[in-house]
Amino acid sequence: MKKRIAILGSTGSIGTQALEVIEQNPDHFSVEVLTANNNIDLLIQQARKFKPNAVVIANECRYHSLQEALQNEDIKVYAGKDALDQIVAMDSIDMVLTAMVGYSGLLPTLNAIRAGKHIALANKETLVVAGEIVNREAIQNKVNIYPVDSEHSAIFQCLAGEHMNEIEKIYLTASGGPFRGFSLEQLQHVTTADALKHPNWDMGAKITIDSASMMNKGFEVIEAKWLFDLKPEQIDVVIHPQSIVHSLVQFRDGSMKAQMGLPDMKLPIQYAMNFPKRLPSDFERFNFMDYPTLSFEQPDTKIFRNLALAFEALDQAGNMPCILNAANEIVVQAFLREKIRFVEMPDIIEESMQKMTFIKNPDLNDYIQTDKETRLLTTSIIKKRS
């Protein structure tokens, strides 16, 4: 039987590539639900093409336009965040691909888990903010979480067949982004346009900025802790400019496994959606002769302090990763609007982490309140600087 997929964030980079995978494998997948935040034009195109059971637009102001555009289609149309939280519980959904950006993915993902839906997780912030709660709910509801991030998919693939063997350490690879090798002086002058030019990956604006600042890798460190039940000292980051080795696992006997391939998100998306079976694909194949040299470097956490802040948040635990994420979302928005400079982002995030109230054992309401208060605090810090 076809696996019926709900895609949360279908108009973003991961969502559109997931639809390509579904289109290429019509005997294996069908689209049950599509959701978007604001991009109504693309959502309409996707709905007409893939004929989902339902669509949701988070921006309620777009509801009537969406409804009118799809009035001749046999597609249910909903709007608002409440609808987004509820749609994931539909009986007809087999798997939810969470491709929303940022904190907004947390509650829909939790609701999908509570409804017993298996998760293909591309929204790393869900585990960054509330990893302990998400894991507990997944266990209680017998839900599997399949990683979609290329690095975590690589670790997941390397662990296939190794359930009896303990992990000694994992290495998450990072391209280094557009500013690899830059000095602090050089970073003083980079622009938003510069930061949006990723050398290897085609991603949305927010994730691209996070990659340039190394915060994306910091989030991946926290995500890896929850996905693979690791201690902070078991997770390391290595710069790999070619983005061919997507990550590595080191076992207690010293042997290492790496997953390799060209940078293409459709492969980890397809692997997550059809696990444990691999499907044939026409993805471009890696040729060793095109990459005669694969290089690796240590990240400079003094220059790219966001990575160090992520490790600090992981060490402190509690609601600190939630504070880190909320502050980061605000500073990235400010940087994209050219309200602050690139080098100011870690300073503002660190100040927010120092000023927010730390909660050692937060519940979900604590996380929700922490997110709101951190956003207000970080916004006020930015205003004082301008």
Side-chain angles (χ1 to χ4, degrees):
M1 293 181 63
K2 293 182 182 181
K3 188 175 289 184
R4 298 163 296 183
I5 309 292
I7 303 178
L8 307 186
S10 66
T11 60
S13 176
I14 296 295
T16 55
Q17 291 179 83
L19 287 172
E20 289 180 39
V21 169
I22 292 172
E23 185 177 18
Q24 292 164 7
N25 297 277
D27 294 336
H28 294 274
F29 309 115
S30 65
V31 178
E32 188 66 17
V33 172
L34 296 174
T35 83
N37 181 45
N38 202 51
N39 191 345
I40 186 174
D41 294 333
L42 182 52
L43 182 61
I44 291 167
Q45 292 177 31
Q46 292 174 342
R48 287 173 174 167
K49 182 174 183 178
F50 290 94
K51 311 294 184 184
N53 189 340
V55 296
V56 180
I57 187 78
N59 184 347
E60 295 185 38
C61 296
R62 298 298 188 99
Y63 171 71
H64 293 295
S65 298
L66 181 61
Q67 186 183 46
E68 183 178 354
L70 298 178
Q71 61 182 341
N72 295 324
E73 306 285 347
D74 186 20
I75 300 172
K76 302 177 185 70
V77 178
Y78 304 101
K81 293 182 178 179
D82 288 343
L84 191 63
D85 290 341
Q86 295 166 13
I87 199 76
V88 293
M90 283 175 53
D91 291 338
S92 55
I93 295 171
D94 296 314
M95 171 176 278
V96 176
L97 170 62
T98 59
M100 299 170 69
V101 176
Y103 172 84
S104 61
L106 173 60
L107 292 181
T109 303
L110 271 174
N111 287 336
I113 291 171
R114 288 165 176 166
K117 311 302 180 183
H118 295 303
I119 305 296
L121 185 69
N123 175 255
K124 61 178 63 67
E125 289 86 355
T126 291
L127 289 179
V128 170
V129 171
E132 186 171 7
I133 290 175
V134 172
N135 275 4
R136 184 170 65 242
E137 292 283 352
I139 292 169
Q140 289 176 355
N141 292 282
K142 299 180 180 178
V143 164
N144 294 327
I145 299 177
Y146 302 105
V148 169
D149 274 344
S150 62
E151 295 82 0
H152 301 93
S153 176
I155 300 298
F156 186 55
Q157 293 180 58
C158 289
L159 290 175
E162 298 282 2
H163 62 281
M164 296 293 290
N165 293 313
E166 293 182 19
I167 299 171
E168 185 172 275
K169 198 168 191 177
I170 69 167
Y171 294 86
L172 300 175
T173 55
S175 70
F179 306 136
R180 180 176 65 90
F182 274 40
S183 66
L184 197 55
E185 173 60 28
Q186 288 174 300
L187 287 181
Q188 299 279 349
H189 308 291
V190 302
T191 65
T192 301
D194 294 332
L196 288 169
K197 296 175 183 176
H198 196 281
N200 298 336
W201 296 95
D202 181 15
M203 306 176 290
K206 196 267 183 183
I207 299 175
T208 304
I209 299 302
D210 283 346
S211 179
S213 73
M214 293 290 288
M215 182 59 86
N216 192 53
K217 201 56 50 180
F219 285 163
E220 288 175 6
V221 168
I222 300 172
E223 183 183 10
K225 180 259 185 295
W226 295 111
L227 280 172
F228 306 114
D229 191 23
L230 300 172
K231 299 175 182 177
E233 58 268 24
Q234 289 179 287
I235 308 170
D236 206 347
V237 173
V238 61
I239 303 297
H240 171 50
Q242 296 82 19
S243 295
I244 297 299
V245 176
H246 297 303
S247 280
L248 309 94
V249 178
Q250 181 174 303
F251 296 95
R252 59 181 177 178
D253 62 356
S255 63
M256 301 181 76
K257 278 187 177 181
Q259 189 266 329
M260 301 172 62
L262 294 171
D264 185 346
M265 283 304 301
K266 290 194 291 292
L267 193 152
I269 291 168
Q270 180 172 291
Y271 187 77
M273 291 200 307
N274 206 60
F275 182 84
K277 294 183 178 180
R278 294 183 183 270
L279 293 173
S281 77
D282 60 359
F283 305 150
E284 185 180 356
R285 267 42 178 180
F286 171 70
N287 185 340
F288 276 96
M289 297 306 102
D290 293 335
Y291 295 84
T293 302
L294 299 179
S295 59
F296 302 89
E297 309 163 9
Q298 277 291 112
D300 190 336
T301 54
K302 292 182 179 179
I303 300 294
F304 296 95
R305 290 177 46 236
N306 277 351
L307 181 56
L309 291 174
F311 271 104
E312 288 178 19
L314 180 58
D315 285 335
Q316 291 185 57
N319 68 334
M320 193 55 67
C322 179
I323 295 168
L324 176 83
N325 177 74
N328 181 68
E329 288 193 21
I330 295 299
V331 299
V332 169
Q333 289 174 8
F335 176 65
L336 285 169
R337 295 170 183 165
E338 300 182 342
K339 300 293 185 182
I340 59 174
R341 292 176 299 134
F342 185 83
V343 293
E344 291 183 277
M345 291 197 292
D347 294 336
I348 296 169
I349 293 169
E350 185 174 35
E351 185 173 347
S352 296
M353 291 171 67
Q354 292 171 346
K355 290 183 175 179
M356 277 295 298
T357 301
F358 175 70
I359 303 173
K360 186 175 182 180
N361 296 301
D363 58 22
L364 183 58
N365 287 331
D366 291 326
Y367 285 127
I368 293 171
Q369 193 61 32
T370 293
D371 179 79
K372 290 178 180 178
E373 292 178 5
T374 303
R375 290 171 188 273
L376 291 172
L377 172 63
T378 308
T379 301
S380 69
I381 293 170
I382 292 170
K383 287 181 178 178
K384 289 178 182 178
R385 285 173 168 259
S386 60

